């Protein structure tokens, strides 16, 4: 792991789209989604059909790729059925006067704890962003100007609060591990099918993520014992 002028380089961290896997120095690391699976089961249950899950995954992937391309090149292509989600994102960027992101779809890892994840957007809070947060989120972050904001994009029909409370602090810890500077604003950007959006802030409370991590490690140990 190396840093250069505040810019992080994880030369040996690899992300594989197929299977959504991470490897650091050839060792596979669990993702934030994998670690939070215990909570996901409680939130979603076992009644969601494979078709619904596949469609949600297809939509999320399409919108994430389109917004990434838009942010990096200024243009993108997307299927007509998902264009309103993209319009919602464009509206968010305009309303919050988003300039240049620090990171876009950035894979990061915590070598000490042993997990990885991809941060959708990392932004340095400026005056315009702080004013927009106060207007749209009714939250004063004027004392956080110059610090980091993590913005996680969601395209699901609803945002599950419990999962957001696990995922966002986990991402904040990854950023802290990488840059020795945690995020001062954590938000879920919910992009909706009607072209609207909602940015919801969350606290950086890592207790739920810690509980899921404990369960993950406990079950991983049991699996290793069984395989011996």
């Amino acid at each position: 792991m190396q840093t250069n002028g505040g810019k992080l380089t994880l030369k040996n961290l690899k992300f594989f789209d197929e299977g959504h896997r991470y490897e650091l120095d050839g060792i596979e690391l669990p993702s934030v989604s994998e670690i939070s699976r215990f909570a996901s089961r409680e939130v979603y249950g076992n009644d969601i059909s494979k078709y619904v899950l596949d469609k949600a995954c297809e939509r999320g992937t399409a919108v994430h790729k389109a917004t990434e391309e838009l942010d990096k090149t200024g243009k993108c292509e997307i299927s007509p059925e998902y264009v309103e989600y993209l319009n919602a994102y464009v509206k968010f960027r305009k309303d919050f006067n988003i300039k240049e992101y620090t990171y876009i779809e950035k894979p990061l890892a915590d070598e000490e704890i042993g997990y990885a994840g991809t941060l959708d957007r990392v932004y340095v809070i400026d005056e315009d962003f702080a004013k927009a947060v106060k207007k749209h989120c009714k939250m004063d972050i004027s004392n956080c100007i110059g610090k980091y904001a993590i913005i996680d994009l969601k395209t699901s029909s609803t945002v599950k609060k419990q999962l957001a409370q696990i995922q966002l602090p986990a991402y904040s810890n990854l950023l802290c591990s990488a840059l020795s500077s945690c995020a001062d604003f954590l938000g879920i950007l919910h992009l909706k099918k009607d072209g609207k959006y909602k940015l919801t802030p969350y606290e950086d409370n890592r207790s739920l993520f810690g509980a899921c991590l404990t369960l993950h490690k406990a079950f991983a140990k049991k699996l290793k014992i069984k395989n011996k």
Side-chain angles (χ1 to χ4, degrees):
M1 181 185 299
Q2 298 177 344
T3 58
N4 183 11
K7 297 294 185 179
L8 174 74
T9 302
L10 276 170
K11 291 184 177 179
N12 300 321
L13 178 64
K14 297 179 180 179
F15 172 70
F16 301 91
D17 271 323
E18 187 176 350
H20 198 82
R21 296 187 305 106
Y22 296 87
E23 284 186 8
L24 182 61
D25 295 324
I27 299 173
E28 187 164 346
L29 297 179
S31 66
V32 172
S33 297
E34 182 181 352
I35 291 171
S36 63
R37 69 189 182 279
F38 301 97
S40 297
R41 291 169 186 168
E42 292 297 320
V43 170
Y44 289 109
N46 299 315
D47 298 328
I48 301 179
S49 69
K50 186 177 183 302
Y51 173 79
V52 172
L53 288 174
D54 287 347
K55 286 297 291 181
C57 183
E58 176 187 295
R59 178 178 64 244
T61 298
V63 175
H64 271 76
K65 286 185 176 179
T67 55
E68 178 182 6
E69 187 178 351
L70 180 67
D71 287 336
K72 289 180 176 179
T73 70
K75 56 185 179 180
C76 68
E77 294 182 0
I78 194 169
S79 169
E81 64 179 311
Y82 302 134
V83 72
E84 288 303 324
Y85 294 94
L86 183 62
N87 287 338
Y89 181 70
V90 171
K91 189 174 190 306
F92 159 75
R93 284 208 51 157
K94 181 179 179 181
D95 289 347
F96 281 71
N97 195 19
I98 297 294
K99 301 170 186 68
E100 184 178 354
Y101 288 107
T102 303
Y103 297 124
I104 300 171
E105 298 291 340
K106 181 67 175 178
L108 295 175
D110 185 316
E111 295 178 273
E112 184 176 347
I113 295 178
Y115 78 99
T118 298
L119 281 60
D120 290 347
R121 302 293 187 276
V122 177
Y123 189 72
V124 175
I125 299 168
D126 54 24
E127 189 173 342
D128 287 336
F129 187 87
K131 286 180 179 178
V133 167
K134 189 171 185 178
K135 176 182 177 181
H136 294 274
C137 306
K138 312 304 179 187
M139 180 180 181
D140 186 2
I141 61 168
S142 56
N143 62 332
C144 299
I145 290 174
K147 299 180 180 178
Y148 291 110
I150 292 176
I151 303 167
D152 194 60
L153 279 56
K154 300 291 185 189
T155 60
S156 50
S157 56
T158 58
V159 173
K160 303 299 183 181
K161 182 179 178 180
Q162 299 95 327
L163 296 182
Q165 288 175 325
I166 295 169
Q167 294 167 353
L168 284 171
Y171 294 144
S172 179
N173 178 69
L174 288 175
L175 188 68
C176 190
S177 175
L179 296 180
S180 299
S181 180
C182 299
D184 279 63
F185 178 86
L186 305 178
I188 293 290
L189 178 59
H190 187 199
L191 306 176
K192 305 179 183 182
K193 64 180 180 180
D194 62 358
K196 297 179 181 179
Y197 72 86
K198 183 178 181 181
L199 181 67
T200 304
Y202 287 84
E203 292 184 5
D204 193 352
N205 184 332
R206 301 176 193 180
S207 57
L208 284 177
F209 174 67
C212 287
L213 186 62
T214 298
L215 285 170
H216 171 79
K217 289 183 176 180
F219 278 85
K221 287 179 182 178
K222 286 183 180 181
L223 184 61
K224 288 180 181 178
I225 291 172
K226 287 181 180 180
N227 289 338
K228 284 185 177 180

